[in-house]
Amino acid sequence: MSSPDPQVRAARNPSTSPTPGEEPSTPAARGGGPVRGPVVAVTGAAAGIGAMLTERLAASDEIKQVVAIDERRGECADAQWHILDVRDPAIAEKLRGADVVVHLALDLDLETDPAARTAYNVRGTQTVLTAAAAAGVHRVVLCTSAMVYGALPDNELPLSEDAELRATAEATGVGDLLEVERLARRAPRAHPGLNVTVVRPAVLVGGTDTALTRYFESPRLLVVAGSRPAWQFCHIEDLCAALEYAALEKVEGELAVGCEGWLEQEEVEELSGIRRMELPSAVALGAAARLHRIGLTPSPAGDLAYTMYPWVVSGSRLHEAGWRPRWTNEEVLAELLGEVAGRHTLAGRRLGRKDATAAGAAGATVALLGTAALVRRARKARRRI
């Protein structure tokens, strides 16, 4: 997931620094009286999900103070800002006095080098968990994705939170998220007294750019023959509300979050007005793998599984705690379609206006299967260098 997402790294700007001596305003300072709620630290607070959650928590009468951590200063004036990389062990001092840490400094950008992305995500999560324990924080909230359950033909509809995590590392960022999940399970054993809550959103929508949101930028919706897609979305506002529930300790454990129910592929096509392009599995997966291998698309073939098979979640733990999504799948899909209007993507690759016009004229099937032409173009470009 790229910015903003559960998994989001804020834009980098190390040269930005906080105003010396500046004190944040708090609900009490604004005349609301003393607040007895927790002090909550948010990493990745300058942009995306982190920025939205920081603003939400800072406005809450149930939060005593918000500590915002990122590599640049964000917009929220009511938070106490600390400017540093989450991989810096000095973060432990910045977390001292916090009751809860919500760790959202993840990089799931499609264009980031995979090795650099993994190094940032895993090392950052390790450092935050260790620093939180050292600082006396009693709860850390991590955000991964419901993708960790895996998209498989025999998945139940819906999956419970306790369902086995059967995903593999073949899709964008999923390997990193599985490692974050492993660190979450290990942390309470390594640091007795530290509670770790994990929030797993469905397809995240709301200013996001992922392989799954790019699926709806194509001139045709790719459907793999014999597959059984089921679409469940999660609006970023609902995710922030669920993260707030976790930060306020209204719910704990492993939490799945998404809209109620799901949409079948036929419903998605009817609502979107985008027609399908159906291909045999071997053709679709083979073409996607070749295009990714030669560097022409950012999405590996593993991303296709999440458009082929269901990975719908129940969200029962949040529901039992009183949380409900405000958005429906139909509403979130409509918002997504509005966001991607005017963008053109084939096989996960963004196209310029000229390429998009040609692709529309030739048809999506020709564009997807025209691997040889793309390879020739890439080879000619390399020879010119």
Side-chain angles (χ1 to χ4, degrees):
M1 264 169 289
S2 66
S3 178
D5 128 283
Q7 340 140 50
V8 177
R9 184 175 77 185
R12 304 297 181 89
N13 186 0
S15 63
T16 305
S17 58
T19 304
E22 182 177 356
E23 293 295 329
S25 81
T26 63
R30 294 194 299 268
V35 179
R36 300 183 182 275
V39 174
V40 180
V42 179
T43 67
I49 299 169
M52 182 176 289
L53 181 65
T54 299
E55 292 281 1
R56 183 184 182 103
L57 296 179
S60 172
D61 292 335
E62 297 181 80
I63 302 295
K64 183 177 182 180
Q65 186 181 41
V66 179
V67 177
I69 297 173
D70 210 319
E71 293 180 47
R72 68 179 178 89
R73 188 181 183 86
E75 299 294 327
C76 184
D78 293 332
Q80 177 184 345
W81 285 91
H82 295 296
I83 314 303
L84 81 165
D85 189 313
V86 291
R87 295 169 293 182
D88 187 341
I91 195 173
E93 283 303 312
K94 310 304 181 185
L95 296 179
R96 202 165 298 282
D99 301 295
V100 180
V101 175
V102 183
H103 178 49
L104 298 175
L106 290 178
D107 178 10
L108 297 175
D109 194 304
L110 289 170
E111 310 299 337
T112 302
D113 173 73
R117 181 176 61 214
T118 296
Y120 179 84
N121 291 337
V122 175
R123 178 67 181 277
T125 303
Q126 287 174 327
T127 303
V128 167
L129 288 167
T130 302
V137 174
H138 68 263
R139 170 174 289 211
V140 175
V141 180
L142 302 176
C143 188
T144 62
S145 168
M147 294 176 77
V148 296
Y149 290 110
L152 299 158
D154 62 345
N155 274 349
E156 294 184 358
L157 276 170
L159 292 162
S160 72
E161 280 92 345
D162 293 327
E164 181 183 357
L165 306 188
R166 298 196 289 164
T168 65
E170 296 173 354
T172 305
V174 173
D176 294 1
L177 299 180
L178 289 170
E179 182 61 20
V180 169
E181 293 271 353
R182 188 186 70 81
L183 292 170
R185 291 192 298 272
R186 192 178 67 179
R189 298 194 298 270
H191 308 290
L194 181 66
N195 176 292
V196 180
T197 295
V198 180
V199 180
R200 301 167 179 157
V203 180
L204 192 60
V205 174
T208 57
D209 177 26
T210 68
L212 293 167
T213 59
R214 287 191 184 189
Y215 177 81
F216 293 92
E217 299 177 16
S218 300
R220 296 286 186 273
L221 297 179
L222 174 62
V223 176
V224 176
S227 65
R228 184 171 62 102
W231 291 90
Q232 181 187 38
F233 300 98
C234 177
H235 196 276
I236 190 173
E237 292 179 358
D238 283 337
L239 174 57
C240 284
L243 291 168
E244 181 180 21
Y245 251 65
L248 289 170
E249 304 184 60
K250 296 179 179 180
V251 63
E252 63 181 24
E254 297 167 339
L255 313 173
V257 54
C259 299
E260 300 275 9
W262 63 90
L263 299 173
E264 301 288 351
Q265 182 70 24
E266 292 75 14
E267 295 176 284
V268 167
E269 292 168 18
E270 182 179 353
L271 290 166
S272 67
I274 307 174
R275 290 181 291 174
R276 71 166 59 195
M277 169 187 64
E278 189 162 324
L279 293 175
S281 175
V283 172
L285 293 170
R290 287 192 296 274
L291 290 169
H292 182 67
R293 188 168 55 250
I294 62 177
L296 291 177
T297 65
S299 299
D303 286 343
L304 273 181
Y306 291 89
T307 70
M308 294 169 61
Y309 303 117
W311 47 291
V312 172
V313 290
S314 69
S316 58
R317 289 194 178 127
L318 278 163
H319 293 181
E320 290 167 4
W323 178 92
R324 291 291 184 277
R326 294 185 60 185
W327 291 73
T328 66
N329 282 304
E330 292 84 354
E331 290 169 340
V332 179
L333 176 58
E335 172 146 327
L336 172 57
L337 293 170
E339 288 182 358
V340 304
R343 300 177 190 166
H344 305 282
T345 295
L346 285 171
R349 174 177 172 261
R350 285 260 170 83
L351 303 178
R353 183 176 299 175
K354 182 177 179 181
D355 288 337
T357 302
T365 303
V366 174
L368 180 64
L369 300 180
T371 308
L374 291 171
V375 172
R376 286 195 298 271
R377 183 185 302 177
R379 286 174 177 167
K380 288 180 181 177
R382 284 197 293 269
R383 282 198 294 267
R384 287 196 296 269
I385 295 175

